[in-house]
Amino acid sequence: MAISKIPQKVVEELNRQFNQELSAAHSYLALSVWCDTRNLKGFGKYFVRQAAEERTHAERILKHLADRGVKANVTALPAPKQDFKTLLEVAQQAQTQEHANTLGVNAVYEAALAAKDLPAQVLMHWFINEQVEEEDWSSEMVERVEAATCAGSASDLDRHIERYLEEEVREVPKES
């Protein structure tokens, strides 16, 4: 492996965020399990998709580190929160996770900026933009679940998210 050209503080922050992304994926799987066991299949599918997305984010950081001659430090993942009383608590957990990811991404960017590590700054620009989208969606999800107060409305919301995910899959162009 080549000698690292990344300042040590940036390496530490990238490794921390790499593991935070993996932890978020682990947590999204726990949210999916909670939803699936309550027949909220739409939310379950959504959280499985989010878990895959978080793993992809971790892989993006992993590739950046490897391309720059640094071996990623894979740490143990803490057990995610799994006990919730309501779908609102689940949505709020997702929102809290996304906010924590935003803070983590910002910390990496700030370290890269201070160290004048331009490649890491460029990498983190993508993550910064991604987190704007993720925080917006998690806030919308909390608001929608909060508004679903009448009998059957959580089931309607669950079917809505399932249809939304199916439409999104149909809209994705196939790679050749």
Side-chain angles (χ1 to χ4, degrees):
M1 199 170 269
I3 295 175
S4 172
K5 300 176 196 140
I6 306 177
Q8 187 57 37
K9 178 65 176 166
V10 178
V11 170
E12 290 168 11
E13 287 296 325
L14 283 167
N15 269 309
R16 182 202 46 72
Q17 189 62 30
F18 166 71
N19 284 287
Q20 186 170 326
E21 298 287 346
L22 291 174
S23 182
H26 201 49
S27 182
Y28 273 127
L29 286 176
L31 297 181
S32 173
V33 168
W34 188 93
C35 291
D36 283 344
T37 60
R38 283 149 186 89
N39 203 26
L40 294 168
K41 304 298 184 192
F43 280 97
K45 286 179 185 177
Y46 170 74
F47 290 129
V48 165
R49 187 187 79 174
Q50 286 302 106
E53 193 171 293
E54 299 296 348
R55 282 190 303 276
T56 300
H57 294 173
E59 290 166 7
R60 188 177 277 240
I61 294 170
L62 177 67
K63 182 175 182 343
H64 179 84
L65 288 167
D67 286 351
R68 297 185 67 199
V70 175
K71 179 179 149 197
N73 181 25
V74 181
T75 62
L77 297 177
K81 182 175 179 179
Q82 299 177 67
D83 297 320
F84 303 96
K85 291 184 177 121
T86 65
L87 182 58
L88 179 58
E89 286 182 15
V90 170
Q92 289 168 332
Q93 177 66 24
Q95 184 180 41
T96 298
Q97 255 175 229
E98 289 303 340
H99 184 66
N101 261 353
T102 297
L103 294 176
V105 163
N106 291 348
V108 178
Y109 182 75
E110 289 167 7
L113 197 58
K116 298 182 180 178
D117 182 340
L118 298 178
Q121 289 175 40
V122 171
L123 173 71
M124 297 321 295
H125 282 175
W126 181 89
F127 280 91
I128 290 166
N129 287 327
E130 176 71 7
Q131 282 310 119
V132 168
E133 177 185 314
E134 295 298 334
E135 285 218 52
D136 179 54
W137 169 241
S138 66
S139 293
E140 181 181 337
M141 180 173 42
V142 168
E143 290 169 9
R144 286 179 181 251
V145 172
E146 284 175 331
T149 57
C150 61
S153 58
S155 293
D156 287 344
L157 188 55
D158 186 63
R159 282 191 301 279
H160 171 74
I161 196 169
E162 195 162 22
R163 282 191 305 270
Y164 168 78
L165 292 172
E166 289 168 2
E167 288 172 11
E168 196 172 77
V169 168
R170 282 194 298 267
E171 291 175 6
V172 174
K174 294 191 181 194
E175 294 180 28
S176 41

